[in-house]
Coordinates of all heavy atoms in Angstrom, one line a residue:
M29 N 123.7 55.5 66.1 CA 123.1 55.3 67.5 C 124.2 54.7 68.4 O 124.9 53.7 68.1 CB 122.0 54.3 67.4 CG 121.2 54.1 68.7 SD 119.8 53.1 68.5 CE 119.4 52.7 70.2
N30 N 124.4 55.3 69.6 CA 125.4 54.9 70.5 C 124.7 54.4 71.8 O 123.6 54.8 72.2 CB 126.4 56.0 70.9 CG 127.4 56.2 69.7 OD1 127.6 55.3 68.9 ND2 127.9 57.4 69.7
C31 N 125.4 53.5 72.5 CA 124.9 53.0 73.8 C 124.7 54.1 74.8 O 125.6 55.0 75.0 CB 125.9 51.9 74.3 SG 125.5 51.3 75.9
L32 N 123.6 54.0 75.5 CA 123.4 55.0 76.6 C 124.2 54.8 77.8 O 124.4 55.8 78.6 CB 121.9 55.0 76.9 CG 120.9 55.4 75.8 CD1 119.5 55.3 76.3 CD2 121.2 56.8 75.3
S33 N 124.7 53.6 78.0 CA 125.5 53.4 79.3 C 127.0 53.6 79.0 O 127.6 54.1 79.9 CB 125.2 52.0 79.9 OG 124.4 51.2 79.1
C34 N 127.5 53.2 77.9 CA 129.0 53.3 77.7 C 129.4 54.0 76.5 O 130.5 54.2 76.2 CB 129.6 51.9 77.7 SG 129.3 51.0 76.2
N35 N 128.4 54.5 75.7 CA 128.6 55.2 74.4 C 129.3 54.3 73.4 O 129.9 54.9 72.4 CB 129.5 56.5 74.7 CG 129.1 57.6 73.7 OD1 128.0 57.7 73.3 ND2 130.1 58.4 73.4
G36 N 129.3 53.0 73.5 CA 129.8 52.1 72.5 C 128.9 52.1 71.3 O 127.8 52.6 71.3
K37 N 129.4 51.4 70.2 CA 128.6 51.3 69.0 C 127.5 50.3 69.1 O 127.7 49.2 69.6 CB 129.6 50.8 67.9 CG 130.2 52.0 67.1 CD 129.9 51.8 65.6 CE 130.2 53.1 64.8 NZ 131.7 53.3 64.5
M38 N 126.3 50.6 68.6 CA 125.2 49.7 68.7 C 125.1 48.9 67.4 O 125.3 49.5 66.3 CB 123.9 50.4 68.9 CG 123.8 51.3 70.1 SD 124.1 50.4 71.7 CE 122.5 49.5 71.8
K39 N 124.9 47.6 67.5 CA 124.8 46.8 66.3 C 123.4 46.2 66.2 O 122.8 45.7 67.2 CB 125.8 45.7 66.3 CG 126.6 45.5 65.1 CD 127.6 44.4 65.2 CE 127.0 43.0 65.4 NZ 128.0 42.0 65.6
K40 N 122.8 46.3 65.0 CA 121.5 45.7 64.8 C 121.6 44.1 64.8 O 122.5 43.6 64.1 CB 120.9 46.1 63.4 CG 119.4 45.7 63.2 CD 118.5 46.6 63.9 CE 117.0 46.1 63.7 NZ 116.0 46.9 64.5
S41 N 120.9 43.5 65.6 CA 121.0 42.1 65.8 C 119.7 41.4 66.2 O 118.7 42.1 66.2 CB 122.1 41.8 66.9 OG 122.3 40.5 67.1
T42 N 119.7 40.2 66.6 CA 118.6 39.6 67.2 C 119.0 39.0 68.6 O 120.1 38.5 68.7 CB 117.9 38.4 66.4 OG1 118.9 37.5 66.2 CG2 117.4 39.0 65.0
V43 N 118.1 39.1 69.5 CA 118.3 38.6 70.9 C 117.2 37.7 71.4 O 116.1 37.9 71.0 CB 118.6 39.7 71.9 CG1 119.8 40.6 71.5 CG2 117.4 40.6 72.0
P44 N 117.5 36.8 72.2 CA 116.4 36.0 72.9 C 115.8 36.9 73.9 O 116.4 37.8 74.5 CB 117.1 34.9 73.5 CG 118.5 35.3 73.7 CD 118.8 36.3 72.7
Y45 N 114.5 36.7 74.1 CA 113.7 37.6 75.1 C 112.8 36.7 75.9 O 112.1 35.9 75.4 CB 112.9 38.5 74.3 CG 112.2 39.6 75.1 CD1 112.8 40.7 75.6 CD2 110.8 39.4 75.4 CE1 112.2 41.7 76.3 CE2 110.1 40.4 76.1 CZ 110.8 41.5 76.6 OH 110.2 42.4 77.3
S46 N 113.0 36.7 77.2 CA 112.2 35.8 78.0 C 111.4 36.6 79.1 O 111.9 37.7 79.6 CB 113.0 34.8 78.7 OG 113.9 35.4 79.6
I47 N 110.2 36.2 79.3 CA 109.3 36.9 80.3 C 108.8 35.8 81.3 O 108.4 34.8 80.9 CB 108.1 37.4 79.5 CG1 108.5 38.5 78.5 CG2 107.1 38.1 80.5 CD1 107.8 38.3 77.2
N48 N 109.0 36.2 82.5 CA 108.6 35.3 83.6 C 107.5 36.0 84.4 O 107.7 37.0 85.0 CB 109.7 35.0 84.6 CG 110.8 34.2 83.9 OD1 110.5 33.2 83.2 ND2 112.0 34.6 84.0
R49 N 106.3 35.4 84.2 CA 105.1 36.0 84.9 C 104.5 34.9 85.8 O 104.8 33.7 85.6 CB 104.1 36.5 83.9 CG 104.5 37.7 83.1 CD 104.3 39.0 83.8 NE 105.0 40.1 83.2 CZ 104.4 40.8 82.2 NH1 103.2 40.5 81.8 NH2 105.0 41.8 81.6
R50 N 103.6 35.3 86.6 CA 102.8 34.4 87.4 C 102.1 33.4 86.5 O 101.3 33.9 85.6 CB 101.8 35.1 88.3 CG 101.1 34.2 89.3 CD 100.1 35.1 90.0 NE 99.2 35.9 89.1 CZ 98.1 35.4 88.6 NH1 97.7 34.2 88.8 NH2 97.4 36.2 87.8
G51 N 102.3 32.1 86.5 CA 101.6 31.2 85.7 C 102.2 30.8 84.4 O 101.8 29.8 83.9
Y52 N 103.2 31.5 84.0 CA 103.8 31.1 82.7 C 105.2 31.8 82.5 O 105.5 32.8 83.1 CB 102.9 31.5 81.5 CG 102.8 32.9 81.2 CD1 103.7 33.5 80.3 CD2 101.9 33.8 81.8 CE1 103.6 34.9 79.9 CE2 101.8 35.1 81.5 CZ 102.7 35.6 80.5 OH 102.6 37.0 80.2
H53 N 106.0 31.1 81.7 CA 107.2 31.7 81.2 C 107.2 31.7 79.7 O 106.8 30.7 79.1 CB 108.4 30.8 81.7 CG 108.5 30.6 83.1 ND1 108.8 31.5 84.0 CD2 108.2 29.5 83.8 CE1 108.8 31.1 85.2 NE2 108.4 29.8 85.2
L54 N 107.5 32.8 79.2 CA 107.4 32.9 77.7 C 108.8 33.2 77.2 O 109.5 34.1 77.7 CB 106.5 34.1 77.3 CG 106.2 34.2 75.8 CD1 105.4 33.0 75.3 CD2 105.4 35.5 75.6
F55 N 109.3 32.4 76.2 CA 110.6 32.6 75.7 C 110.5 32.9 74.2 O 110.0 32.0 73.4 CB 111.4 31.3 75.9 CG 112.8 31.5 75.4 CD1 113.8 32.2 76.1 CD2 113.2 30.9 74.3 CE1 115.1 32.3 75.7 CE2 114.5 31.0 73.8 CZ 115.5 31.7 74.5
L56 N 111.0 34.0 73.8 CA 111.0 34.4 72.4 C 112.4 34.3 71.9 O 113.3 34.9 72.5 CB 110.4 35.8 72.2 CG 109.0 36.0 72.7 CD1 108.7 37.5 72.7 CD2 108.0 35.3 71.9
E57 N 112.6 33.5 70.8 CA 114.0 33.2 70.5 C 114.8 34.3 69.8 O 115.9 34.5 70.1 CB 114.0 31.9 69.6 CG 115.3 31.2 69.6 CD 115.3 29.9 68.8 OE1 114.4 29.7 68.0 OE2 116.2 29.1 69.1
K58 N 114.1 35.0 68.9 CA 114.8 36.0 68.1 C 114.0 37.3 68.0 O 113.1 37.3 67.1 CB 115.1 35.4 66.7 CG 116.3 34.5 66.7 CD 116.5 34.1 65.2 CE 117.9 33.4 65.0 NZ 118.1 33.1 63.6
I59 N 114.4 38.2 68.7 CA 113.7 39.6 68.6 C 114.8 40.5 68.1 O 115.9 40.6 68.5 CB 113.3 40.1 70.0 CG1 112.4 39.0 70.7 CG2 112.6 41.4 69.9 CD1 111.1 38.8 70.0
P60 N 114.4 41.3 67.0 CA 115.3 42.3 66.5 C 115.6 43.3 67.6 O 114.7 43.8 68.2 CB 114.6 42.9 65.3 CG 113.4 42.0 65.1 CD 113.1 41.3 66.3
A61 N 116.9 43.6 67.8 CA 117.3 44.6 68.8 C 118.6 45.2 68.4 O 119.3 44.7 67.6 CB 117.4 43.9 70.1
Y62 N 118.9 46.3 69.1 CA 120.3 46.9 69.0 C 121.1 46.4 70.2 O 120.6 46.5 71.3 CB 120.2 48.4 69.0 CG 119.6 49.0 67.7 CD1 118.3 49.3 67.6 CD2 120.4 49.1 66.6 CE1 117.7 49.8 66.5 CE2 119.9 49.7 65.4 CZ 118.5 50.0 65.3 OH 118.0 50.5 64.2
V63 N 122.2 45.9 69.9 CA 123.1 45.4 71.0 C 124.4 46.2 71.0 O 125.0 46.4 69.9 CB 123.4 43.9 70.8 CG1 124.2 43.3 71.9 CG2 122.1 43.1 70.7
C64 N 124.8 46.6 72.1 CA 126.1 47.3 72.3 C 127.2 46.4 72.1 O 127.3 45.3 72.7 CB 126.1 48.0 73.6 SG 127.7 48.8 73.9
S65 N 128.2 46.8 71.2 CA 129.3 45.9 70.9 C 130.3 46.0 72.0 O 131.2 45.2 72.1 CB 130.0 46.3 69.6 OG 130.3 47.7 69.6
R66 N 130.2 46.9 72.9 CA 131.1 47.1 74.0 C 130.6 46.4 75.3 O 131.3 45.6 75.9 CB 131.5 48.5 74.3 CG 132.7 48.7 75.1 CD 133.0 50.2 75.5 NE 133.4 51.0 74.3 CZ 133.5 52.3 74.3 NH1 133.3 52.9 75.5 NH2 133.9 52.9 73.3
C67 N 129.4 46.8 75.8 CA 129.0 46.3 77.1 C 127.8 45.3 76.9 O 127.4 44.7 77.9 CB 128.5 47.4 78.0 SG 127.0 48.2 77.5
G68 N 127.3 45.1 75.7 CA 126.2 44.1 75.5 C 124.8 44.5 75.9 O 123.9 43.8 75.9
Q69 N 124.7 45.8 76.2 CA 123.3 46.3 76.6 C 122.4 46.2 75.3 O 122.9 46.4 74.2 CB 123.5 47.8 76.9 CG 122.2 48.6 77.3 CD 121.7 48.1 78.7 OE1 122.4 48.0 79.6 NE2 120.4 47.8 78.7
K70 N 121.2 45.8 75.6 CA 120.2 45.6 74.5 C 119.2 46.7 74.5 O 118.7 47.2 75.6 CB 119.5 44.3 74.7 CG 120.3 43.1 74.5 CD 119.6 41.9 75.0 CE 120.5 41.1 76.0 NZ 119.8 40.1 76.8
Y71 N 118.8 47.2 73.3 CA 117.7 48.1 73.2 C 116.8 47.7 72.1 O 117.2 47.3 71.0 CB 118.3 49.5 72.8 CG 119.2 50.1 73.8 CD1 120.6 50.0 73.7 CD2 118.7 50.8 74.9 CE1 121.4 50.5 74.7 CE2 119.5 51.4 75.8 CZ 120.9 51.2 75.7 OH 121.7 51.7 76.6
F72 N 115.5 47.7 72.4 CA 114.5 47.4 71.5 C 113.9 48.6 70.8 O 113.8 49.7 71.4 CB 113.3 46.6 72.1 CG 113.8 45.3 72.6 CD1 113.9 45.1 74.0 CD2 114.0 44.2 71.8 CE1 114.3 43.8 74.5 CE2 114.4 43.0 72.2 CZ 114.6 42.8 73.6
D73 N 113.6 48.5 69.5 CA 112.9 49.6 68.8 C 111.6 49.7 69.4 O 111.0 48.8 70.0 CB 112.8 49.2 67.3 CG 113.9 49.8 66.5 OD1 114.5 50.8 67.0 OD2 114.0 49.4 65.3
E74 N 111.0 50.9 69.2 CA 109.6 51.1 69.7 C 108.7 50.2 69.1 O 107.8 49.7 69.7 CB 109.2 52.6 69.3 CG 108.3 53.2 70.4 CD 107.8 54.5 69.9 OE1 108.5 55.2 69.2 OE2 106.7 54.9 70.4
N75 N 108.8 49.9 67.8 CA 108.0 48.9 67.1 C 108.0 47.6 67.8 O 106.9 47.0 68.0 CB 108.5 48.7 65.6 CG 108.0 49.8 64.8 OD1 107.2 50.7 65.2 ND2 108.6 49.9 63.6
E76 N 109.2 47.0 68.1 CA 109.3 45.7 68.7 C 108.7 45.8 70.1 O 108.0 44.8 70.5 CB 110.7 45.2 68.7 CG 111.1 44.6 67.4 CD 111.7 45.6 66.4 OE1 112.4 46.5 66.8 OE2 111.4 45.4 65.2
S77 N 109.0 46.8 70.9 CA 108.5 46.9 72.2 C 107.0 46.9 72.2 O 106.4 46.2 73.0 CB 108.9 48.2 72.9 OG 110.3 48.4 72.9
K78 N 106.4 47.7 71.3 CA 104.9 47.7 71.2 C 104.4 46.4 70.8 O 103.4 45.9 71.4 CB 104.5 48.8 70.2 CG 104.4 50.1 70.8 CD 103.7 51.1 69.9 CE 103.8 52.5 70.4 NZ 103.8 53.5 69.3
A79 N 105.0 45.7 69.9 CA 104.5 44.4 69.4 C 104.6 43.4 70.5 O 103.6 42.6 70.7 CB 105.4 43.9 68.2
I80 N 105.6 43.4 71.3 CA 105.7 42.5 72.5 C 104.6 42.8 73.5 O 104.0 41.9 74.0 CB 107.1 42.6 73.1 CG1 108.2 42.0 72.2 CG2 107.2 41.8 74.4 CD1 109.6 42.3 72.6
Q81 N 104.4 44.1 73.8 CA 103.4 44.5 74.7 C 102.0 44.0 74.3 O 101.2 43.4 75.0 CB 103.3 46.0 74.9 CG 104.5 46.6 75.6 CD 104.9 45.9 76.9 OE1 104.0 45.7 77.7 NE2 106.2 45.6 77.1
N82 N 101.7 44.2 73.0 CA 100.4 43.7 72.4 C 100.3 42.2 72.5 O 99.2 41.7 72.8 CB 100.3 44.2 70.9 CG 100.0 45.6 70.8 OD1 99.5 46.2 71.8 ND2 100.4 46.2 69.7
L83 N 101.4 41.5 72.1 CA 101.4 40.1 72.2 C 101.1 39.6 73.6 O 100.2 38.7 73.8 CB 102.8 39.6 71.8 CG 103.1 38.1 71.9 CD1 102.4 37.4 70.8 CD2 104.6 37.8 71.9
L84 N 101.7 40.2 74.6 CA 101.5 39.8 76.0 C 100.0 40.1 76.4 O 99.4 39.3 77.2 CB 102.4 40.6 76.9 CG 103.9 40.1 76.9 CD1 104.8 40.9 77.8 CD2 104.0 38.6 77.3
K85 N 99.5 41.2 76.0 CA 98.1 41.6 76.4 C 97.1 40.6 75.9 O 96.3 40.1 76.6 CB 97.8 43.0 75.8 CG 97.6 44.0 76.9 CD 97.1 45.3 76.3 CE 98.0 46.5 76.6 NZ 97.8 47.6 75.7
S86 N 97.2 40.2 74.6 CA 96.2 39.3 74.1 C 96.5 37.9 74.6 O 95.6 37.1 74.8 CB 96.2 39.3 72.5 OG 97.5 39.0 72.0
F87 N 97.8 37.6 74.8 CA 98.2 36.3 75.4 C 97.6 36.1 76.8 O 97.0 35.1 77.1 CB 99.7 36.2 75.4 CG 100.2 34.8 75.9 CD1 100.1 33.7 75.1 CD2 100.8 34.7 77.2 CE1 100.6 32.5 75.5 CE2 101.2 33.5 77.6 CZ 101.1 32.4 76.8
E88 N 97.7 37.1 77.6 CA 97.2 37.0 79.0 C 95.7 36.9 79.0 O 95.1 36.2 79.9 CB 97.7 38.2 79.8 CG 99.2 38.1 80.0 CD 99.7 39.0 81.1 OE1 99.0 39.9 81.5 OE2 100.8 38.7 81.6
K89 N 95.0 37.6 78.1 CA 93.6 37.5 78.0 C 93.2 36.0 77.8 O 92.3 35.5 78.4 CB 93.0 38.4 76.9 CG 92.2 39.5 77.4 CD 91.6 40.3 76.3 CE 91.8 41.8 76.5 NZ 91.6 42.5 75.3
K90 N 93.8 35.4 76.8 CA 93.5 34.0 76.4 C 94.0 33.0 77.5 O 93.3 32.0 77.7 CB 94.1 33.7 75.1 CG 93.4 34.4 74.0 CD 94.0 34.3 72.6 CE 93.2 35.0 71.6 NZ 94.0 35.9 70.8
L91 N 95.0 33.4 78.2 CA 95.6 32.5 79.2 C 94.6 32.3 80.3 O 94.4 31.3 80.9 CB 96.9 33.1 79.7 CG 97.7 32.2 80.6 CD1 98.3 31.0 79.7 CD2 98.8 32.9 81.2
D92 N 93.8 33.4 80.6 CA 92.8 33.4 81.7 C 91.8 32.3 81.5 O 91.2 31.8 82.4 CB 92.1 34.7 81.8 CG 93.0 35.8 82.5 OD1 93.9 35.3 83.2 OD2 92.7 37.0 82.5
L93 N 91.5 32.0 80.2 CA 90.5 31.0 79.9 C 91.1 29.6 80.1 O 90.3 28.6 80.2 CB 90.1 31.1 78.4 CG 89.6 32.4 77.9 CD1 89.4 32.4 76.4 CD2 88.3 32.7 78.6
V94 N 92.4 29.4 80.2 CA 93.0 28.1 80.3 C 93.5 27.7 81.7 O 93.3 26.6 82.1 CB 94.2 28.1 79.3 CG1 94.8 26.7 79.3 CG2 93.8 28.5 77.9
I95 N 94.0 28.7 82.4 CA 94.6 28.4 83.7 C 93.8 29.1 84.8 O 93.2 30.1 84.6 CB 96.1 28.7 83.9 CG1 96.3 30.2 83.7 CG2 96.9 27.9 82.9 CD1 97.7 30.6 84.2
A96 N 93.8 28.5 86.0 CA 93.1 29.1 87.2 C 93.8 30.2 87.7 O 95.1 30.2 87.7 CB 92.9 28.0 88.2
A97 N 93.1 31.2 88.2 CA 93.7 32.4 88.7 C 94.3 32.1 90.1 O 93.8 31.3 90.8 CB 92.7 33.6 88.8
Ligands
ZN119 ZN1 127.4 49.9 75.9

């Protein structure tokens, strides 16, 4: 797998991932990802992307019970 922006080599690694939304900031310390060894571009596997989306969905539902809109 090569980087889509610079065609450099992608390395399997872990990266921090942060989400800033209205009402909260979520910081995930280690998400598996491919990182370009040349330009540092990050790519998430479909599995991880989906897992993060699911996490956010259920998180936001529960968050509604705790904080005012
Ligand atoms: Zn690159």
Side-chain angles (χ1 to χ4, degrees):
M29 186 177 167
N30 284 337
C31 176
L32 296 176
S33 7
C34 76
N35 211 33
K37 270 235 166 81
M38 304 299 287
K39 227 177 70 182
K40 189 82 182 170
S41 180
T42 58
V43 297
Y45 186 80
S46 63
I47 298 136
N48 295 313
R49 292 277 170 87
R50 185 182 54 83
Y52 73 92
H53 305 290
L54 187 67
F55 182 77
L56 303 167
E57 201 175 20
K58 281 183 166 184
I59 306 295
Y62 290 97
V63 182
C64 176
S65 57
R66 197 185 289 173
C67 74
Q69 181 72 47
K70 293 167 232 164
Y71 297 96
F72 293 106
D73 262 344
E74 215 188 329
N75 282 348
E76 277 89 37
S77 304
K78 273 189 190 153
I80 292 170
Q81 294 307 316
N82 286 337
L83 176 75
L84 287 176
K85 245 186 238 165
S86 57
F87 183 73
E88 290 196 343
K89 248 185 223 165
K90 287 172 181 131
L91 193 71
D92 281 345
L93 303 171
V94 183
I95 63 167

